[in-house]
Amino acid sequence: MNVNGYPQRTIWPTADNSAVEIIDQTKLPHEFVTLLLESMRDAERAIRDMQVRGAPLIGVTAAYGVALSMRHHASDAALKATCDMLLAARPTAVNLRWGVERMRALLAPLPAEQRAAAAWQEAGVIAEEDVAINRAIGVHGCDLIRAIYQRTKSTVNILTHCNAGWLATVDWGTALAPIYAAVAENIPLHVWVDETRPRNQGASLTAWELGQHGVSHTVIVDNAGGHLMQHGKVDMVIVGCDRVTARGDVCNKIGTYLKALAARDNGVPFYVALPTPTIDWMLQDGVQEIPIEERAAAEVTHISGLADDGQIHTVRVTPLNSPVANYGFDVTPARLVTALITERGVVQADEKSLRELLL
Amino acid sequence: MNVNGYPQRTIWPTADNSAVEIIDQTKLPHEFVTLLLESMRDAERAIRDMQVRGAPLIGVTAAYGVALSMRHHASDAALKATCDMLLAARPTAVNLRWGVERMRALLAPLPAEQRAAAAWQEAGVIAEEDVAINRAIGVHGCDLIRAIYQRTKSTVNILTHCNAGWLATVDWGTALAPIYAAVAENIPLHVWVDETRPRNQGASLTAWELGQHGVSHTVIVDNAGGHLMQHGKVDMVIVGCDRVTARGDVCNKIGTYLKALAARDNGVPFYVALPTPTIDWMLQDGVQEIPIEERAAAEVTHISGLADDGQIHTVRVTPLNSPVANYGFDVTPARLVTALITERGVVQADEKSLRELLL
């Protein structure tokens, strides 16, 4: 999608293929800074510190991390150590595991001296596949937006939580791909952007990428969505996800479940956009089975932003001695999900439908 | 309740009765600063700028505002102008209207020269009545906490939203009064404190007052409550409110409705604590009939906190060109409310029960 009027991706190889570049997403929306990843440790750090975030982008970055590592040490032991270290960077992200295991499966049978070249090529393939998948999600999701517009003949109001936009993928995004596709068709729409505490990915990333691409949007606090739905100001909800169970329970950024409850209470359709590799067939009951990452208290106690002096400053919002808990995700039961938007089509959130989709 | 180990109220007359003092709540939790209100305009500004906030405290501050005004101009015209100006400071707060109209009803029949003394005395009476009402709410709500403790024999986990503590009243609070009463009885409890964006009254005020009084608590983002309830970590929700309709719909800080939905979905009792003057008998359907205050965008785009230099700084969290909407309150339908905790007892959220309570 566009930045300053020009097409941009979130991760791309340098011209000489010596490294990859990423957008440092921790600097957005105040600064647009790119970073060079020259080693597996650079990639691991970028994932852990959330300079790259979003399930698909994490997977692609991990694949490039494996590829960068193989250039220096390509033994079986090095391959194992590389995969282990990358997997530990974000324990909840199933796409991280998917990306790493795909690389491992490709590389393990190869002679060590062929691994570096094969890995680099495969990482590029994974990136292009991600773009193709997201474009397909956009096409299918756009059908839902268009149907609402054809019925109401007025601006379609879409609420989204967190950032499942192109910044979370290589390009297009998951939850925002249908929106970009609808904008390309000139369907009038407006996006309610949950700020998404504690890391403010909505306020900082979703608002920024929609603004850069010229999409009408309004930032709201996470508390506001229920009120908007009660007053008919939301036609549909589209969110992304980090993990979907075999029966369609959705693990996504903390607070998603609350929006799903409000959507159900007000008859607003609640859609989850995902590439099918996000489905974790090993799991059924998401609430009981998905381990929820607890993150650093500082994400809640402190907030960073742009001060009057033009610099990024961090301020403390809680009392010094008050304890904090910081759960990264929650699980929305399948019963609250109207449908899943995948690259293979729109499907009900139940095991039978999901399995049929992949036949 | 206690600050630094000593009992403290939110508003009190100076020793010479020349003015009233308040805690500047916009400075909490980082600085404990008191302010002198010497005129009606001081009181009006304190209400409008939320140096005092919380329905009961707003009512008492307005009453003192009328009293301070009468010392300078006590004509009928001055009384009307004073009441009009104070009423405009926070349009959603029914207690503001209640406090002002009570003063007007008392003062209007009196000769102008008697108004100043009568007003000062009445403001003090209103303040003491507030303390008595909140203490009674605490007694009745404590019965509910004690019942849970007697059943579970383990720490009672209570979730609250915004600040309906003693800082929102003259003392004790509404939603937190039962908690302070239970703490006084040594019932083991723990409070989950929603940070309550956009103004962070939970993170800044509720956490501060619980910490100062020695009450076990943990700050969470507003997004987290649903997840905690799904995992059995919340035994009850207690919130305050700004306005309750005749049939029991509850207008409270934006986001309350989302917590009520999660409580219902997980079988967690959802209680609303209120002094009965908060009931607005003129209204039935809260969602349709209660006008919701839209507040300044800066509350969402910017956040203030304590920086490393020990000073309060304000930082911007959203992109410069992203629009913002800022709804101050939402309405929780009575069907989601387990019961209302009032100074007259605990009562079902329906018109018949509410009317019987006041007989």
Side-chain angles (χ1 to χ4, degrees):
Chain A
M1 301 295 107
N2 288 352
V3 174
N4 294 324
Y6 293 96
Q8 174 76 46
R9 287 185 171 188
T10 54
I11 187 166
W12 63 98
T14 56
D16 64 358
N17 277 340
S18 67
V20 290
E21 287 187 85
I22 60 165
I23 300 168
D24 180 357
Q25 301 197 18
T26 63
K27 295 287 193 296
L28 293 174
H30 309 297
E31 291 178 62
F32 181 70
V33 174
T34 62
L35 289 179
L36 203 61
L37 306 184
E38 299 182 288
S39 68
M40 182 271 282
R41 287 184 183 280
D42 287 350
E44 189 269 339
R45 191 182 310 114
I47 294 168
R48 179 164 36 79
D49 295 348
M50 298 178 79
Q51 291 168 329
V52 293
R53 15 72 53 207
L57 177 56
I58 289 170
V60 172
T61 306
Y64 273 114
V66 173
L68 290 166
S69 182
M70 291 300 102
R71 292 180 174 181
H72 301 289
H73 305 283
S75 69
D76 287 359
L79 179 59
K80 180 176 186 311
T82 294
C83 293
D84 288 351
M85 184 167 292
L86 285 163
L87 287 174
R90 289 287 303 279
T92 311
V94 71
N95 275 52
L96 172 60
R97 176 164 295 276
W98 175 86
V100 169
E101 296 304 344
R102 174 164 163 171
M103 295 299 280
R104 194 204 305 264
L106 171 83
L107 300 176
L110 295 181
E113 66 275 16
Q114 293 178 19
R115 285 175 175 165
W120 186 257
Q121 186 181 327
E122 186 71 0
V125 168
I126 293 174
E128 293 303 329
E129 285 179 3
D130 180 66
V131 175
I133 284 173
N134 298 333
R135 193 187 297 254
I137 289 171
V139 168
H140 296 303
C142 183
D143 292 344
L144 301 170
I145 298 173
R146 192 187 311 108
I148 291 173
Y149 177 61
Q150 286 171 344
R151 197 181 69 237
T152 65
K153 305 290 185 206
S154 66
T155 300
V156 181
N157 281 288
I158 305 168
L159 186 143
T160 192
H161 190 69
C162 199
N163 177 261
W166 71 265
L167 288 170
T169 64
V170 178
D171 206 353
W172 287 88
T174 53
L176 299 194
I179 290 168
Y180 291 121
V183 166
E185 277 190 25
N186 295 315
I187 297 172
L189 60 80
H190 167 262
V191 185
W192 295 107
V193 179
D194 275 359
E195 68 172 348
T196 318
R197 289 279 294 147
R199 291 185 64 90
N200 290 349
Q201 294 98 329
S204 58
L205 304 177
T206 300
W208 182 81
E209 69 165 88
L210 291 174
Q212 288 290 328
H213 200 74
V215 181
S216 168
H217 67 284
T218 303
V219 178
I220 51 173
V221 295
D222 302 302
N223 284 324
H227 170 74
L228 293 172
M229 291 187 217
Q230 284 179 316
H231 289 270
K233 292 174 191 274
V234 181
D235 294 303
M236 66 195 306
V237 179
I238 313 180
V239 299
C241 64
D242 286 69
R243 208 161 176 179
V244 171
T245 71
R247 74 180 193 193
D249 291 346
V250 172
C251 181
N252 190 42
K253 187 61 52 188
I254 190 84
T256 301
Y257 166 54
L258 295 172
K259 294 305 142 55
L261 287 168
R264 172 57 51 97
D265 201 45
N266 293 284
V268 173
F270 183 89
Y271 295 106
V272 179
L274 66 146
T276 50
T278 311
I279 302 167
D280 188 337
W281 296 101
M282 307 295 287
L283 300 177
Q284 286 287 338
D285 182 336
V287 173
Q288 294 307 318
E289 296 174 39
I290 297 179
I292 299 298
E293 182 180 351
E294 284 195 59
R295 299 184 52 85
E299 292 183 356
V300 178
T301 57
H302 289 72
I303 293 180
S304 294
L306 191 68
D308 283 344
D309 62 6
Q311 303 293 310
I312 306 290
H313 286 272
T314 299
V315 297
R316 181 178 186 94
V317 293
T318 55
L320 208 55
N321 297 316
S322 287
V324 160
N326 183 13
Y327 300 92
F329 303 88
D330 65 20
V331 174
T332 299
R335 65 184 153 87
L336 299 176
V337 177
T338 305
L340 305 170
I341 307 170
T342 79
E343 76 278 15
R344 292 167 178 249
V346 176
V347 65
Q348 298 263 310
D350 61 64
E351 182 153 7
K352 182 165 170 291
S353 303
L354 279 172
R355 292 208 180 271
E356 283 174 2
L357 186 75
L358 295 194
L359 284 183
Chain B
M1 301 292 106
N2 288 352
V3 174
N4 293 323
Y6 294 96
Q8 173 76 48
R9 287 186 170 187
T10 54
I11 188 166
W12 62 99
T14 55
D16 63 359
N17 276 338
S18 68
V20 289
E21 286 187 84
I22 60 165
I23 300 169
D24 180 357
Q25 301 198 17
T26 63
K27 295 286 194 296
L28 294 174
H30 310 299
E31 292 178 62
F32 180 71
V33 174
T34 61
L35 289 178
L36 202 62
L37 307 185
E38 299 181 285
S39 68
M40 183 270 282
R41 286 184 184 280
D42 286 350
E44 189 271 338
R45 191 182 309 114
I47 294 167
R48 180 165 36 80
D49 294 348
M50 297 177 80
Q51 291 168 329
V52 293
R53 13 75 52 210
L57 177 55
I58 289 171
V60 173
T61 307
Y64 273 114
V66 173
L68 291 166
S69 183
M70 291 300 102
R71 292 179 175 181
H72 301 290
H73 306 285
S75 68
D76 287 359
L79 179 60
K80 180 174 186 311
T82 294
C83 293
D84 288 350
M85 187 169 289
L86 286 163
L87 286 173
R90 288 288 302 279
T92 312
V94 72
N95 275 53
L96 172 60
R97 176 164 294 277
W98 175 86
V100 169
E101 296 305 343
R102 174 164 162 171
M103 295 298 280
R104 195 205 303 264
L106 172 82
L107 300 176
L110 295 181
E113 66 273 16
Q114 292 179 20
R115 284 175 177 165
W120 186 257
Q121 185 181 328
E122 185 71 1
V125 169
I126 293 175
E128 292 304 329
E129 284 179 4
D130 180 66
V131 176
I133 284 173
N134 298 333
R135 195 189 295 256
I137 290 171
V139 168
H140 295 303
C142 183
D143 292 345
L144 301 169
I145 299 173
R146 192 187 310 109
I148 292 173
Y149 177 61
Q150 286 171 345
R151 196 180 70 236
T152 65
K153 304 290 183 206
S154 66
T155 300
V156 181
N157 282 288
I158 305 168
L159 185 143
T160 192
H161 189 68
C162 198
N163 177 261
W166 70 266
L167 288 171
T169 63
V170 178
D171 206 353
W172 288 89
T174 53
L176 299 194
I179 290 167
Y180 291 121
V183 165
E185 277 190 26
N186 295 315
I187 297 172
L189 61 80
H190 167 262
V191 184
W192 295 107
V193 179
D194 276 358
E195 68 171 349
T196 319
R197 288 281 294 146
R199 291 184 66 90
N200 291 349
Q201 293 98 328
S204 58
L205 303 178
T206 300
W208 182 82
E209 68 165 86
L210 291 174
Q212 288 290 328
H213 200 76
V215 181
S216 168
H217 67 283
T218 303
V219 178
I220 52 173
V221 294
D222 302 303
N223 284 324
H227 170 74
L228 293 172
M229 293 187 214
Q230 284 179 316
H231 289 270
K233 293 175 191 273
V234 180
D235 295 302
M236 68 196 305
V237 179
I238 313 180
V239 298
C241 64
D242 286 69
R243 207 160 178 180
V244 171
T245 71
R247 75 180 193 194
D249 291 346
V250 172
C251 181
N252 190 42
K253 189 60 52 188
I254 190 85
T256 302
Y257 166 55
L258 296 172
K259 294 304 141 55
L261 287 168
R264 172 57 50 95
D265 201 45
N266 292 285
V268 173
F270 183 89
Y271 296 105
V272 179
L274 66 145
T276 51
T278 311
I279 303 167
D280 189 336
W281 296 101
M282 306 296 286
L283 300 177
Q284 287 287 338
D285 181 337
V287 173
Q288 294 307 319
E289 297 175 38
I290 297 179
I292 299 297
E293 181 181 350
E294 284 195 60
R295 298 184 52 85
E299 292 183 357
V300 177
T301 58
H302 290 71
I303 294 180
S304 294
L306 191 69
D308 283 344
D309 61 7
Q311 303 294 310
I312 306 291
H313 286 272
T314 298
V315 297
R316 181 177 186 94
V317 294
T318 56
L320 208 55
N321 298 316
S322 287
V324 161
N326 182 15
Y327 301 92
F329 303 87
D330 66 19
V331 173
T332 300
R335 65 185 152 86
L336 300 174
V337 177
T338 306
L340 305 171
I341 307 171
T342 78
E343 77 278 14
R344 292 166 177 248
V346 176
V347 64
Q348 298 263 311
D350 60 63
E351 181 154 7
K352 182 164 169 294
S353 303
L354 278 172
R355 292 208 180 271
E356 284 173 2
L357 186 74
L358 296 194
L359 284 183

